[in-house]
């Protein structure tokens, strides 16, 4: 199971526990460290998708932790939200100039913190989207984003815009379990009046349409109580980035000429 991982480096246990509890409820996987050194060690161990960093840490303070995070290859581009009781404008400016993605002052509203976390992660995903593949192929399934077309066993499968985006999002997050709330953020964005149940309805319709042509292949797994995950096919061919050339190393052996 591979949910989005959020590392909380916060010395106040009640604050850290409150954040961890609410992040779990929102479908994230939180990890907690109460001192800077432990936080750095956990960042190398768990490779978080986002770090919530308190600046007023005992021993190694948050500023030093932040500099260390940026020096390490694995966390050099990991989004960081700074959390502190110091609300001085100079501190906020310094944090943002050093490369922090956001700065939240205590006491804070949980709703605001959760909203800012989603915004930062959404921004990270949009940046990642620039390098996402034009074509994704798995078994008999082929998703062509440029042509906005899905084919199964060579036959076009008509999908709505939301169904296409849902399938493409799952397929380009192979191996990751995406919660309903996360899929709502990634596929429906800021649309109003969209409920988590919407994801279930679209998944059901998507499975029905794909199964009409795929036969024994199934592409979307339900992870009970968590969300959905794209299922790799035994004969996965490739992720094609330009619509014409596949990465040879990922093609089945019979297609490599050996």
């Amino acid at each position: 199971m591979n949910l989005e991982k959020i590392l909380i480096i916060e010395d106040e246990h009640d604050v850290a526990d409150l954040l961890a509890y609410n992040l779990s409820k929102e479908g994230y996987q939180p990890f907690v460290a109460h001192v800077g050194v432990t936080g750095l060690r956990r960042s190398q161990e768990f490779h978080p998708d986002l770090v919530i960093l308190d600046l007023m840490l005992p021993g190694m303070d948050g500023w030093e932790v932040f500099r260390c995070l940026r020096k390490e290859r694995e966390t050099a581009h990991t989004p960081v939200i700074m959390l502190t009781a110091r609300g001085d404008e100079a501190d906020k400016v310094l944090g943002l100039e050093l490369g922090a993605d956001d700065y939240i002052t205590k006491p804070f509203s949980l709703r605001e913190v959760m909203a800012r976390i989603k915004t930062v992660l959404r921004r990270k995903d949009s940046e990642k989207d620039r390098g996402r593949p034009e074509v994704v192929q798995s078994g008999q399934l082929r998703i062509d984003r440029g042509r906005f077309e899905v084919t199964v066993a060579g036959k076009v499968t008509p999908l709505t815009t939301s169904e296409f985006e849902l399938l493409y999002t799952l397929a380009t997050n192979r191996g990751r379990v995406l919660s309903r709330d996360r899929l709502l953020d990634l596929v429906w964005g800021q649309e109003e009046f969209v409920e988590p149940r919407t994801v279930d309805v679209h998944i059901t319709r998507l499975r029905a349409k794909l199964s009409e042509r795929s036969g024994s292949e199934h592409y979307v797994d339900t992870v009970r109580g968590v969300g959905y995950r794209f299922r790799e096919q035994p004969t996965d061919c490739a992720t094609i980035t330009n619509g014409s050339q596949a990465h040879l190393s990922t093609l089945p052996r019979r297609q490599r000429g050996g």
Side-chain angles (χ1 to χ4, degrees):
M1 191 181 305
N2 194 2
L3 301 178
E4 284 185 300
K5 294 171 284 191
I6 298 181
L7 174 60
I8 304 164
I9 308 178
E10 166 64 67
D11 65 315
E12 295 184 52
H13 289 237
D14 54 343
V15 173
D17 292 345
L18 182 65
L19 288 170
Y21 173 75
N22 282 276
L23 286 169
S24 296
K25 284 180 59 179
E26 291 290 325
Y28 300 107
Q29 187 176 4
F31 299 92
V32 175
H34 298 298
V35 294
V37 173
T38 304
L40 290 173
R41 187 164 59 244
R42 293 203 165 189
S43 73
Q44 296 301 308
E45 183 179 355
F46 297 115
H47 307 294
D49 296 288
L50 182 144
V51 176
I52 299 175
L53 174 62
D54 180 30
L55 295 180
M56 305 294 290
L57 294 171
M60 179 186 290
D61 66 22
W63 296 111
E64 185 60 28
V65 172
F66 181 76
R67 292 186 183 95
C68 291
L69 287 171
R70 286 294 178 256
K71 287 178 183 177
E72 294 295 330
R73 181 176 59 84
E74 294 85 355
T75 55
H77 303 290
T78 301
V80 175
I81 296 178
M82 290 184 170
L83 189 66
T84 180
R86 298 178 61 174
D88 294 343
E89 183 177 359
D91 283 342
K92 292 183 180 181
V93 172
L94 177 59
L96 296 173
E97 285 182 345
L98 287 175
D101 294 82
D102 207 343
Y103 191 108
I104 300 175
T105 305
K106 300 176 185 176
F108 54 78
S109 158
L110 266 177
R111 289 182 61 184
E112 179 186 1
V113 172
M114 294 300 158
R116 292 200 187 193
I117 288 170
K118 289 182 178 180
T119 298
V120 170
L121 288 172
R122 190 181 298 121
R123 188 186 310 145
K124 176 188 175 187
D125 288 327
S126 66
E127 291 171 355
K128 189 189 301 180
D129 188 57
R130 300 187 192 111
R132 294 171 87 182
E134 186 80 0
V135 176
V136 177
Q137 186 162 334
S138 180
Q140 301 179 75
L141 175 70
R142 179 183 172 91
I143 308 168
D144 190 325
R145 189 168 181 80
R147 300 175 64 180
F148 213 80
E149 180 180 85
V150 171
T151 57
V152 179
K155 298 179 181 179
V156 175
T157 302
L159 299 179
T160 66
T161 300
S162 295
E163 289 165 352
F164 181 93
E165 291 294 344
L166 182 58
L167 179 61
Y168 182 81
T169 298
L170 288 166
T172 51
N173 283 275
R174 298 185 186 199
R176 297 179 69 92
V177 180
L178 298 179
S179 69
R180 291 168 178 81
D181 285 342
R182 190 74 184 120
L183 286 169
L184 283 175
D185 283 339
L186 294 174
V187 177
W188 283 270
Q190 298 297 317
E191 290 184 31
E192 296 182 0
F193 310 117
V194 180
E195 299 179 356
R197 176 65 180 163
T198 300
V199 176
D200 300 331
V201 172
H202 278 75
I203 289 289
T204 299
R205 292 207 303 249
L206 188 58
R207 283 171 170 163
K209 290 182 178 182
L210 295 176
S211 66
E212 289 177 4
R213 291 177 168 81
S214 65
S216 61
E217 287 189 355
H218 301 282
Y219 302 105
V220 182
D221 287 332
T222 300
V223 180
R224 191 173 299 277
V226 182
Y228 298 99
R229 174 178 52 206
F230 186 80
R231 179 191 292 187
E232 298 280 6
Q233 301 304 312
T235 56
D236 252 2
C237 292
T239 296
I240 307 174
T241 58
N242 59 16
S244 60
Q245 293 182 334
H247 298 297
L248 185 60
S249 63
T250 60
L251 288 170
R253 184 177 298 276
R254 64 178 179 275
Q255 295 186 32
R256 300 184 201 172

